Every structure is written in structure tokens, then in C-alpha cells.
Amino acid sequence: MNRTIEEKGETFFLNLRFMLIVTVLVGNAIEPLINRMGSIHALYLWIFTFHMPLFVLVTGYFAKKSISGPAGRKTLLQIGMQYVIFQSLYSLLDAAVFHVDDVHRSFFAPYLLLWFLFSHFCWRLMFLSLSRLTAARQLIIAATLGILAGYLPVDGVWLSISRTFVFFPFFVAGYHFSFEAFRQRFRTWIKAAAGIVSIALFTVLGLWGSELPAGWLYGSMTYMQLGHEVWYAGLFRIAVYGLQFIASAAFLAWVPMASGRITDLGRRTLYVFLLHGFIIRFADYSGLHESISNIWGAILLITAAVMCAVLLAHPGLKRFFHYVIEPPVDGLLRLENVALRRFFVR
């Protein structure tokens, strides 16, 4: 049966989404090891050159069907509820169980991985404010905001303000991404070249990656926090955007076009994303990383991270956590509609 371009695009991006959530788990799992093992540091930097930009791009791509109207309001409300639920759960466990004292406990300072939820909420609102403009103008404005955000004299963690602006161009690009045009241009020889570039980038980072401060790839720090208070610091952000674009485009060479096992797993990456932080926290609390002293231990840890991603994306786990991960909001939407009618209809 011939599938439509839209269906093929959805399959490709579901495959990509699961591969990216695997890199998220791997990156978080190996972070405590990067100062002890050069090859792990190179892998860590390589992952961070593309995984967040592409994750935001995928988010923008799938936002096409729910950016406005009732579907848009429902999505915004659900994101807000997810944020409140997991910000509370993670903060409570950090204080009561893991005894972590070096994090901000505030709804205005998203907890570690939860910055993505907060920023996703903001990206949708920001995109709606630019929706009347052409795609080119939206991208120019988004990139300009991302560059200027680095000059703000604030801690980039609060309100996830830095990452929200820095990664916004990728959300806009994802929304306007044409899979049909991509498929036509991403021919076999281009895909092979992209794979070579991806491998070459990993090699370069392994040889000279120590010269690249990871803070530039996180997107969470202002220029002042990165130690660059000069007026031309925005040029460094432009250079990082260039690196992220090349790394992201090159990584697409590894993504299969055909439907398979990872396509189904890609439908439940939200569960992996929101739940894996508990596993990472437990690993840190247990002292697991201190027991890893060689590359074989690191490889075993990476393998365990991949297996965790598969396990957390299992359909059975979705049935168990469904109401926490995807809280029902229909009742709240009905209350909202009643309130709006009473307010506007006299």
C-alpha cells in the first residue's frame, strides 16, 4: 500500500524522535564521567551538538496540527499541568529522598529536564504572535531573539528564558519543515556524505573538543555566565547555530525512513522524557558513577541507558502512567468555555 507523504514524514520523525530520546538518556547518564574519560567527553559533546536542536525541531513539526484553536488550547493546558505535576514531584523527591540542595526549588525555575515543557509552552505562544508573518521573517526574528537573549543581565535558568529564546528558531524551522522537499533532496549520495560529516564531527570533538565549552551547547547560559561580556559575543552564538545546523543535518543520515519497531516507540517518548529523570537521580544518589573506572563500565552504562529508553516507552508503562503523563483536561476546558461565555456574553 502506498503511503502518503504526510504518513512517511510522520514515520521519519517518529523514528527520529525515539533516537533523540535515547541520546537524551545517554547524555544524562554519562555526564558525571566526562571529566574522567576523553572518549566519553567526545560522545557527550557530539550528542549535545544536535539532540536538543533536533528535538525542538521535531516538536515544531508535530505542533502543526495543534498550534491554534481548541486543539492548541488543549495542548497548552496539558503542558501546563504536566509542568506543575512533575515540577512538584521532582522537587519533593529531591528534598525528601535524594537530599539535593544545589537546585532552585521554584515554579519559576524549571527543574533540570522540565525546562523543555516550560519552553514548549512559550514557543507555542511566541509562534502564534508571529503567525501572520512569512516563514523567512519568522526565522529571522526567532534567530535574532536567540542571539539577543544572551545579552540579558539575568540568570538564564529563571523562567527558562535563555533556552526558550535560543532554541526558538528550531521550533519555527520544524513547523515549516517540508518532508517532501527533504526527501527529494536527501538522496543516497547526500545521505552518505552526511553520515561521513557526522563521524568526522565526532572525531574532531574527540581530538579538540576540550576547547569547546559545553555551556554554549546547553543554551541555558547568558554571555555573561559564559565569561563573554564583550559586545560581539552574539557572533559566538551565530557560530554555535552554524555548528548545530551542520551536526543536526548530518545526524539525519542515521534516521531510517521505513516504519519499524522504533516508530512505535517514538509515539511514547514523552513518557521516557518525563520519567527518566527519576532513574538518573537514583543512579547519582546510589553512587553508581563512582564505581565506573574504565571504558567498559561506561559502555555498560550506555547500554543500560538505551535499554531504559526502550523500557520506558513500553505500551504497558503508558497504561500505568497515562493519567499522570497525559492528564485529562477536557473538564477544565469546559469550565474555561463557561467562564469565557459568562465574561464576554452579557
Side-chain angles (χ1 to χ4, degrees):
M1 181 177 67
N2 292 326
R3 296 183 299 153
T4 65
I5 290 296
E6 183 178 354
E7 290 172 334
K8 291 178 180 179
E10 180 177 338
T11 295
F12 178 81
F13 275 97
L14 286 173
N15 293 342
L16 172 59
R17 193 161 70 179
F18 183 72
M19 293 174 69
L20 290 174
I21 201 61
V22 168
T23 63
V24 169
L25 260 77
V26 170
N28 289 338
I30 65 176
E31 185 174 5
L33 305 177
I34 60 177
N35 293 325
R36 288 189 275 147
M37 301 181 188
S39 57
I40 296 302
H41 188 218
L43 175 63
Y44 181 81
L45 288 178
W46 179 72
I47 286 173
F48 270 84
T49 57
F50 64 81
H51 83 319
M52 275 300 107
L54 278 179
F55 223 125
V56 178
L57 184 139
V58 171
T59 302
Y61 182 84
F62 282 112
K64 293 179 182 182
K65 297 179 181 179
S66 62
I67 198 69
S68 60
R73 293 200 304 275
K74 181 176 180 179
T75 301
L76 284 173
L77 185 55
Q78 196 162 57
I79 293 171
M81 290 186 66
Q82 289 165 346
Y83 178 75
V84 170
I85 292 170
F86 281 89
Q87 182 79 355
S88 301
L89 285 175
Y90 275 113
S91 298
L92 179 63
L93 284 175
D94 263 7
V97 179
F98 299 125
H99 307 294
V100 179
D101 299 319
D102 58 346
V103 296
H104 300 292
R105 292 195 180 92
S106 168
F107 282 104
F108 300 103
Y111 178 93
L112 299 178
L113 58 90
L114 297 182
W115 73 265
F116 196 90
L117 287 180
F118 195 97
S119 293
H120 185 192
F121 188 94
C122 295
W123 292 327
R124 285 173 167 270
L125 295 179
M126 291 163 65
F127 185 86
L128 287 173
S129 70
L130 301 176
S131 59
R132 293 174 180 253
L133 301 178
T134 63
R137 290 182 177 178
Q138 289 175 0
L139 279 170
I140 291 172
I141 291 173
T144 301
L145 290 174
I147 295 167
L148 294 178
Y151 292 103
L152 294 174
V154 296
D155 187 330
V157 170
W158 292 103
L159 297 176
S160 189
I161 189 168
S162 182
R163 279 169 164 157
T164 296
F165 286 114
V166 167
F167 290 114
F168 184 45
F170 298 100
F171 183 87
V172 175
Y175 184 89
H176 294 291
F177 190 95
S178 170
F179 178 75
E180 182 174 10
F182 167 76
R183 193 186 64 160
Q184 290 174 351
R185 290 174 173 80
F186 209 59
R187 301 180 185 278
T188 303
W189 70 270
I190 295 180
K191 186 173 182 178
I196 293 172
V197 170
S198 186
I199 295 171
L201 178 60
F202 177 78
T203 304
V204 169
L205 290 172
L207 294 173
W208 298 287
S210 58
E211 303 299 321
L212 175 64
W216 283 100
L217 302 175
Y218 297 155
S220 60
M221 304 168 71
T222 63
Y223 302 142
M224 180 174 61
Q225 291 173 305
L226 288 165
H228 293 277
E229 299 182 56
V230 293
W231 65 268
Y232 56 84
L235 296 176
F236 296 119
R237 176 73 69 205
I238 295 174
V240 172
Y241 274 153
L243 172 62
Q244 290 173 326
F245 174 80
I246 293 171
S248 298
F251 183 76
L252 295 181
W254 310 115
V255 184
M257 294 276 188
S259 179
R261 171 63 173 158
I262 65 171
T263 309
D264 181 57
L265 295 173
R267 301 182 190 279
R268 293 179 292 277
T269 52
L270 179 62
Y271 289 76
V272 185
F273 180 73
L274 290 177
L275 295 174
H276 86 276
F278 296 112
I279 298 175
I280 297 298
R281 267 293 186 239
F282 179 77
D284 289 339
Y285 181 73
S286 67
L288 172 66
H289 294 97
E290 284 70 21
S291 66
I292 298 176
S293 58
N294 55 54
I295 191 63
W296 297 110
I299 292 174
L300 186 61
L301 178 65
I302 292 170
T303 303
V306 175
M307 292 175 64
C308 278
V310 175
L311 176 64
L312 292 175
H314 192 275
L317 190 135
K318 177 180 178 178
R319 289 192 293 270
F320 189 79
F321 286 102
H322 177 70
Y323 288 103
V324 178
I325 304 293
E326 299 179 84
V329 297
D330 292 333
L332 291 175
L333 285 173
R334 285 194 292 270
L335 289 175
E336 177 192 75
N337 292 332
V338 170
L340 289 174
R341 283 197 299 269
R342 289 184 177 180
F343 183 79
F344 289 107
V345 179
R346 299 293 183 178

